Amino acid sequence: GLYMFGTTIGVLYSVPPFRLKRFPLAAGLTIACVRGFLLNFGVYYAAREALGLTFAWNPSVTFLAGFMTVFAAVIAVTKDLPDIEGDKKFAVETLSTRLGVKP
């Protein structure tokens, strides 16, 4: 289930006609969800499942997933800085193309 969810939102992020990358808020939420929550929580959950252990909330994993989701949101805002020219060329609206780069 988590794998299919991650794959689905990854496709929606990249593939036309959806291409959520064009919308700064949707792009940021997608990146934060996949790189923050799904990656950390999903790996923990999958490892427990593979080891035959029952699911149990773990405060450390919950903290890590939350922290990494916030961290991924910051990355989502700054990741487009190096690709401003390419995004402008293909009319992809990002926070970087909208605000530009200040010297």
Side-chain angles (χ1 to χ4, degrees):
L2 290 176
Y3 178 76
M4 285 307 299
F5 178 67
T7 301
T8 301
I9 62 175
V11 167
L12 292 174
Y13 176 84
S14 300
V15 177
F18 306 106
R19 204 154 185 225
L20 294 177
K21 179 183 178 177
R22 297 177 294 152
F23 310 105
L25 181 60
L29 290 173
T30 301
I31 292 167
C33 180
V34 171
R35 289 191 178 180
F37 177 74
L38 285 180
L39 182 63
N40 293 283
F41 177 76
V43 168
Y44 170 75
Y45 178 76
R48 288 190 66 86
E49 181 75 22
L51 294 171
L53 303 172
T54 59
F55 175 77
W57 285 103
N58 181 316
S60 298
V61 173
T62 303
F63 171 78
L64 178 63
F67 177 83
M68 291 307 295
T69 299
V70 172
F71 185 71
V74 172
I75 290 171
V77 171
T78 60
K79 74 171 187 54
D80 294 319
L81 291 173
D83 196 31
I84 290 175
E85 295 307 316
D87 287 342
K88 284 182 181 178
K89 180 179 177 183
F90 292 103
V92 176
E93 185 177 321
T94 65
L95 190 62
S96 300
T97 59
R98 188 181 285 176
L99 300 177
V101 177
K102 309 287 187 235

